[in-house]
Amino acid sequence: MAERKPVIAGNWKMFKTGSEAKSFLAELKGKISGVQGVEVVVAPPFTALAQAAEAIKGSAIGLAAQNLHWEEQGAFTGEIAPAMLKDVGCGYVIIGHSERRQFFGESDESVNRKVKAALKHGLIPIMCVGETLAEREGGKIKEVIERQVRKGLDGLGADANLILAYEPVWAIGTGKTASPEQAEEVHLMIRELLKQTPGPDFSSRTRILYGGSVKADNIKSLMAKPNIDGALVGGAALKADSFSGIIRFKD
Ligand code: PEP
């Protein structure tokens, strides 16, 4: 089986100015110095990306945007193109977060276009999927996840370099975490799905993160599961203490 380096990514959502990003990252760097074998990524808002890029220079922390537009450039007021993210220092981009699907009308089709655009520009997409509580209670987990994964990855080659994040919508920002067993069940399902398309090699090397109220005190049990390769963290990624506690899950 391919070795999959764990990823701990912090999604800052609409929090932190550029100067707040700078001081947060200075503090975080101090708290995680010496940590090895974990890929750490932060996703500040667009307006804080330049200052965040400056603050992480020389460290191993990666920079992600929270969204992008699939076009190269043009008359798309308010949108940001992939090349602009590369230019500011991003190596990753979150795509299809449930808040974007829920509040900004993102569809599996637009997610797919964004994933392709990110890959074309050498950005690593962190593509999010997840079911709502109603879908879970209606026995639709498999159907929903399968559709989101298949459509989101439609047309990709087996060599595509991306990260998936399973984020049950009912667990985001609610304090309700999926149990490690509930999460592992879906991660395994996704892993099996990926074996069919894009293929077995893609399946065994692609990191699948869990997201939904991850904290320093539940990360260890999640990471103990064989198909959970890291976490996408919201609330607990905003304080250096709690985020470094998650990053240091091996301690
Ligand atoms: C998220 O926003 O991706 C997330 C998982 O948020 P939280 O950790 O706050 O549930």
Side-chain angles (χ1 to χ4, degrees), residues 11 13 97 99 167 171-175 211-214 232-236:
N11 172 18
K13 312 192 186 199
H97 189 279
E99 286 152 15
E167 299 206 305
I172 296 180
T174 58
S213 301
V214 172
L232 181 54
V233 186

Side-chain angles (χ1 to χ4, degrees), residues 29-189:
K29 281 198 290 186
K31 288 186 186 293
I32 64 171
S33 71
V35 172
Q36 297 212 323
V38 180
E39 203 167 306
V40 178
V41 178
V42 292
F46 288 130
T47 49
L49 285 172
Q51 274 169 283
E54 189 59 35
I56 60 176
K57 226 177 232 170
S59 79
I61 301 174
L63 188 65
Q66 299 173 19
N67 184 27
L68 86 175
H69 191 57
W70 56 79
E71 293 288 350
E72 301 285 321
Q73 58 180 18
F76 300 102
T77 302
E79 294 294 328
I80 307 284
M84 297 168 182
L85 298 182
K86 284 291 282 189
D87 180 59
V88 77
C90 289
Y92 307 76
V93 57
I94 298 172
I95 296 176
H97 189 279
S98 64
E99 286 152 15
R100 297 221 47 94
R101 293 180 190 256
Q102 197 180 341
F103 304 129
F104 302 98
E106 292 213 0
S107 63
D108 294 325
E109 288 71 23
S110 64
V111 166
N112 180 247
R113 294 176 86 163
K114 291 180 179 197
V115 166
K116 286 176 172 160
L119 288 170
K120 185 175 166 201
H121 287 267
L123 290 159
I124 300 175
I126 303 176
M127 189 185 98
C128 304
V129 299
E131 82 286 357
T132 63
L133 188 58
E135 287 163 344
R136 172 166 281 260
E137 288 176 347
K140 294 209 163 81
I141 303 178
K142 190 163 189 291
E143 182 188 318
V144 170
I145 302 296
E146 203 167 315
R147 190 200 71 230
Q148 292 178 343
V149 171
R150 281 203 195 290
K151 291 196 170 176
L153 302 184
D154 186 43
L156 297 197
D159 60 346
N161 184 18
L162 60 81
I163 295 170
L164 282 167
Y166 167 57
E167 299 206 305
V169 178
W170 49 272
I172 296 180
T174 58
K176 285 185 200 156
T177 323
S179 69
E181 291 69 32
Q182 282 175 319
E184 172 64 14
E185 193 182 345
V186 179
H187 282 232
L188 179 61
M189 193 191 89

